[in-house]
Amino acid sequence: MKKNVFHLCAAMFLTLGTLNAQETTEKVEKLSEVTVVATKFAIEKEKIGKVIYQITKEELANAQGKSVADVLDNLAGIQIFGNNSSAGKDKSAYVRGGRGYQTLVLIDGVPLSDPSGINNAFDLRLLTLSQIESIEIMNGASSTLYGSGAATGVVNIKLKEAVKKSIALNYQVAIGTNNSQDNTTINLNDFNQNIAINGSLNKFNYLVNVNASSISGMSDANDENSTTKFEYDKFKPTNTYVKLGYNFSEKLNVALFHNFDKDIYDYDGGAFTDSDINNGENKQSRFGLSSNFNYNKGNLKFIASYNQNNRFLDEYSSWTNSMNYYEYTGKSIFADVVNEFKFNNQLQLITGVTYQNQRNQTNSPYGEIDEDLAKFNMLDPYATIVYNSNNGFNINAGARLNIHSEYGNHFVYNVNPSYNISNNFRLISSYSTAFISPSIYQLFSEYGNVNLNPEKDNSVEVGIIYKLNDIVELNTVFFYRNMEDAILFGASSYENADESINAKGVETILKTNKIHHLNISLGHTYTYKSADIDYIPKHKITATVGTTTFKNTYLSLNFKHISKRTFFDQWGTGSTMKFDAYSLIDFYGSYSIIKNKVSVFAQVNNLFNEDFVEVLGYTTKGRNYKIGLDFNF
């Protein structure tokens, strides 16, 4: 079977390669070579010593109908835990051998976390791709600029902006299947629609975006050990985004924003265990303001936001033969003032200060947390200097002092030199320290420990970047990360681990861009962990082939291979489980019926209905289809 799969894939790839010789008159826009995530301000990628993965507006337009988790999971170095499980399963980004709480997710510069949870990990289910303009990913420790949580990487998401004309309307609708491997019937259980209205009126601009989905067709838990079929579990997300902006002048602008995200879902009783009454609800409400002021030699930015997460669970208890109700509320305040001052074309200084306050209120049958006691704040001044010499040498170095109300002070820093040997070839390197502060739950719950120290990370990167005329790009990076004081659950409470954990590996990406209307991206990540017990594969291989050969048409194939993994089943068998490798192939196509007005898109995921395990005891997706329409007025 696997030989047939690879033979068919090879044939499809060759077919796409042959088709690229045909003519097309469509003009192709070059990818941007400017990044924001590396310094918080726009800077040319060639002037920094980091590999930045950019998912552009054009690439997201060729991923309509997909989720944020789908898009990120096709990148080297990133594993989206739960992405191939049921829609209602929580989803977080594992980067370079780390866990979800060690990757920081930003929305327009504001860090996203969930103080209502155990470890502050942000759940990607609360995001919708239809509201996103572009995504930048910077793997590696980045606490100097971004503070707690940025230990293994930063995912910087930029939401859409208002268009220049007075009013524009976009409507998108999609419908598809949501089946496991043992269900090949064509039942349309995945429905999504999105509507956005935006525009500009003189100095004022506005944007309103609403997205709603309804997904069923799969059980959360795997029923392979059951004599009866498990019921389908529903997932219904709603996402609303509103942004109002005003440009006082070319130098000063201010924007107000509000996000409201809500997920309603069914869930089962655990691995291999069905439940027809367990249900949950997640709510995230975030509002704030941002301002940007350009002056003669620099740029001053200010961002402030208030975020509240509410989670409600109704769960059956076999011990009491009754329903238990859980209510979790997390509140966070974030403010960041950062200034970029350019001494000249070679030297710039970035200085800033960040304030965060987090609170947690929990009501459950197993204990309560009072937000008047369960709270902490952090005040972090930081500075980074960026120097770009005329002879090709570049260096980015900085430091941050974390002042925490519970554990005191913690200092982190980074040194990131690089050297442009030529216009095509660059050597990069970095040494960075990072930290992750204990969560409210880990400090103040019934299992909490107020004497916890932050987790500490030390990371080293060495690599090369080769680029040829915006056509071919090769990135290879060796990384090594050592983590100390890991926060683990001990005999009766959370505690800092005595032993350190390290992860090392190599990330490689080869990309070709617009060679006779053909784009190819190949990626490989090798990761080795000293404690390899958490589903992280040693090898992840990705490949994407996309073509615009046919007029008004985009076609692509995505290939992903995940090697063997291990997992320690602490709460089940008490033993280490081993899982086989698997490979997935996805097809995507779109056609512009009326240019820039009406388009149709379609996708087939898990084309060969591969049977595999992603999370022990939980269902994984089989072959699924989706088709949709996109309208612009």
Side-chain angles (χ1 to χ4, degrees):
M1 173 63 184
K2 290 192 173 180
K3 287 185 178 180
N4 293 334
V5 168
F6 283 106
H7 288 165
L8 182 54
C9 290
M12 295 178 76
F13 276 39
L14 288 173
T15 300
L16 288 174
T18 303
L19 292 174
N20 67 27
Q22 299 181 23
E23 294 292 332
T24 183
T25 59
E26 182 151 353
K27 186 177 179 180
V28 177
E29 183 180 347
K30 289 185 178 181
L31 295 176
S32 170
E33 292 301 320
V34 174
T35 178
V36 174
V37 68
T39 63
K40 291 191 175 183
F41 296 90
I43 186 172
E44 295 176 10
K45 289 174 65 176
E46 289 74 16
K47 292 183 178 180
I48 58 171
K50 286 275 192 177
V51 174
I52 308 295
Y53 304 129
Q54 291 181 311
I55 306 173
T56 65
K57 177 180 179 180
E58 292 75 18
E59 290 171 320
L60 291 181
N62 291 326
Q64 295 178 99
K66 294 182 179 292
S67 68
V68 177
D70 290 334
V71 172
L72 294 177
D73 204 29
N74 283 324
L75 296 176
I78 300 179
Q79 185 80 4
I80 304 301
F81 185 73
N83 186 49
N84 296 300
S85 301
S86 67
K89 189 89 173 66
D90 57 307
K91 295 165 177 56
S92 56
Y94 285 28
V95 177
R96 291 186 175 179
R99 295 288 188 106
Y101 69 91
Q102 296 169 319
T103 302
L104 185 65
V105 180
L106 305 171
I107 294 284
D108 287 337
V110 178
L112 299 181
S113 63
D114 185 359
S116 71
I118 292 178
N119 56 24
N120 276 352
F122 181 74
D123 190 346
L124 294 173
R125 287 181 301 175
L126 289 168
L127 298 176
T128 176
L129 198 67
S130 60
Q131 297 175 354
I132 296 174
E133 178 86 10
S134 62
I135 306 175
E136 289 187 329
I137 301 96
M138 180 169 64
N139 290 352
S142 305
S143 281
T144 299
L145 274 179
Y146 294 105
S148 177
T152 60
V154 175
V155 178
N156 184 38
I157 296 173
K158 182 179 184 297
L159 297 182
K160 290 181 177 179
E161 300 281 350
V163 298
K164 298 299 182 184
K165 60 182 182 179
S166 60
I167 186 170
L169 178 68
N170 171 262
Y171 176 72
Q172 185 180 111
V173 61
I175 192 167
T177 63
N178 185 50
N179 295 334
S180 59
Q181 292 93 346
D182 59 356
N183 182 7
T184 58
T185 57
I186 307 298
N187 292 322
L188 300 178
N189 293 313
D190 185 343
F191 179 76
N192 171 265
Q193 57 182 335
N194 182 86
I195 187 168
I197 182 171
N198 67 100
S200 300
L201 302 169
N202 295 323
K203 295 183 178 182
F204 173 75
N205 58 79
Y206 64 94
L207 186 149
V208 180
N209 188 303
V210 180
N211 183 276
S213 299
S214 178
I215 306 172
S216 183
M218 280 177 57
S219 168
D220 185 36
N222 192 309
D223 61 5
E224 66 179 20
N225 297 332
S226 174
T227 56
T228 60
K229 186 175 179 60
F230 289 176
E231 59 129 17
Y232 293 160
D233 293 309
K234 298 178 181 178
F235 177 62
K236 295 182 177 181
T238 304
N239 309 89
T240 303
Y241 169 50
V242 178
K243 185 174 183 179
L244 305 175
Y246 190 82
N247 299 318
F248 290 92
S249 66
E250 293 183 356
K251 294 184 176 181
L252 176 63
N253 62 70
V254 175
L256 300 174
F257 57 85
H258 175 63
N259 289 79
F260 179 76
D261 306 292
K262 179 180 177 180
D263 296 341
I264 300 175
Y265 59 96
D266 301 330
Y267 67 98
D268 285 328
F272 302 111
T273 305
D274 191 24
S275 170
D276 59 358
I277 53 177
N278 289 353
N279 64 84
E281 181 177 322
N282 288 345
K283 292 182 180 179
Q284 174 184 249
S285 182
R286 183 173 62 92
F287 61 87
L289 64 89
S290 63
S291 179
N292 189 66
F293 175 64
N294 292 296
Y295 58 94
N296 186 30
K297 286 195 172 184
N299 192 339
L300 178 66
K301 290 183 179 180
F302 172 72
I303 301 175
S305 72
Y306 172 81
N307 191 87
Q308 180 167 320
N309 295 80
N310 296 93
R311 293 188 296 120
F312 311 98
L313 302 175
D314 284 306
E315 184 174 274
Y316 174 74
S317 171
S318 59
W319 294 95
T320 62
N321 194 30
S322 63
M323 294 295 293
N324 286 337
Y325 178 71
Y326 303 79
E327 182 176 352
Y328 306 91
T329 300
K331 301 175 182 178
S332 60
I333 297 172
F334 171 82
D336 185 44
V337 182
V338 57
N339 180 70
E340 174 195 40
F341 184 81
K342 296 181 179 180
F343 294 95
N344 49 49
N345 292 332
Q346 296 179 311
L347 183 64
Q348 57 182 295
L349 176 66
I350 298 167
T351 55
V353 60
T354 299
Y355 172 80
Q356 293 190 65
N357 178 283
Q358 296 192 7
R359 296 170 178 262
N360 180 296
Q361 179 76 44
T362 295
N363 299 300
S364 79
Y366 301 103
E368 297 187 355
I369 302 176
D370 187 347
E371 70 170 301
D372 291 330
L373 297 175
K375 60 183 179 180
F376 66 76
N377 60 71
M378 294 184 288
L379 183 69
D380 293 19
Y382 59 93
T384 292
I385 191 165
V386 180
Y387 175 70
N388 306 112
S389 70
N390 292 327
N391 63 8
F393 176 73
N394 310 291
I395 189 167
N396 178 330
R400 172 184 287 253
L401 177 62
N402 170 233
I403 305 170
H404 196 283
S405 60
E406 288 299 318
Y407 56 71
N409 301 341
H410 186 69
F411 182 76
V412 292
Y413 62 93
N414 79 287
V415 181
N416 180 202
S418 62
Y419 184 67
N420 297 339
I421 296 177
S422 67
N423 292 332
N424 300 329
F425 189 68
R426 179 160 37 121
L427 299 176
I428 62 173
S429 63
S430 70
Y431 178 80
S432 306
T433 62
F435 73 100
I436 298 172
S437 62
S439 69
I440 296 278
Y441 188 88
Q442 292 164 341
L443 288 169
F444 299 107
S445 71
E446 64 271 30
Y447 307 110
N449 178 2
V450 294
N451 296 315
L452 287 174
N453 293 318
E455 292 187 357
K456 305 175 183 67
D457 277 63
N458 301 290
S459 296
V460 177
E461 291 179 85
V462 180
I464 61 171
I465 298 176
Y466 175 78
K467 192 169 184 179
L468 180 61
N469 299 329
D470 292 328
I471 297 176
V472 177
E473 182 174 346
L474 172 66
N475 306 320
T476 300
V477 178
F478 166 81
F479 62 87
Y480 175 85
R481 182 172 62 87
N482 185 72
M483 181 174 69
E484 297 179 348
D485 285 337
I487 299 175
L488 306 173
F489 187 75
S492 60
S493 66
Y494 286 94
E495 57 189 40
N496 292 110
D498 294 329
E499 297 181 358
S500 62
I501 301 173
N502 62 72
K504 57 186 176 182
V506 179
E507 286 177 10
T508 302
I509 288 187
L510 173 64
K511 296 178 67 175
T512 65
N513 182 44
K514 302 298 188 293
I515 299 180
H516 299 293
H517 320 299
L518 187 69
N519 293 339
I520 300 174
S521 177
L522 304 173
H524 173 255
T525 308
Y526 168 76
T527 306
Y528 173 81
K529 286 190 69 175
S530 59
D532 189 19
I533 58 174
D534 44 15
Y535 292 112
I536 295 172
K538 284 189 176 181
H539 296 277
K540 177 181 178 179
I541 300 172
T542 60
T544 299
V545 178
T547 180
T548 55
T549 297
F550 299 108
K551 186 177 180 180
N552 300 329
T553 303
Y554 175 79
L555 301 172
S556 72
L557 280 176
N558 288 319
F559 169 81
K560 179 169 57 184
H561 174 79
I562 303 297
S563 69
K564 295 180 179 179
R565 294 140 294 133
T566 59
F567 170 70
F568 180 65
D569 188 16
Q570 180 178 4
W571 308 111
T573 62
S575 61
T576 298
M577 312 289 290
K578 295 185 178 182
F579 303 100
D580 292 335
Y582 64 89
S583 299
L584 302 177
I585 296 174
D586 302 332
F587 167 79
Y588 179 88
S590 63
Y591 176 73
S592 179
I593 301 172
I594 303 175
K595 188 174 181 181
N596 300 326
K597 296 293 184 182
V598 182
S599 63
V600 60
F601 58 88
Q603 55 182 289
V604 184
N605 297 319
N606 193 358
L607 192 62
F608 298 100
N609 202 33
E610 178 89 355
D611 190 4
F612 63 100
V613 175
E614 182 180 51
V615 183
L616 177 65
Y618 290 87
T619 310
T620 50
K621 295 178 182 178
R623 182 191 300 113
N624 283 287
Y625 310 88
K626 181 177 284 188
I627 187 168
L629 288 167
D630 187 79
F631 302 89
N632 290 286
F633 304 99

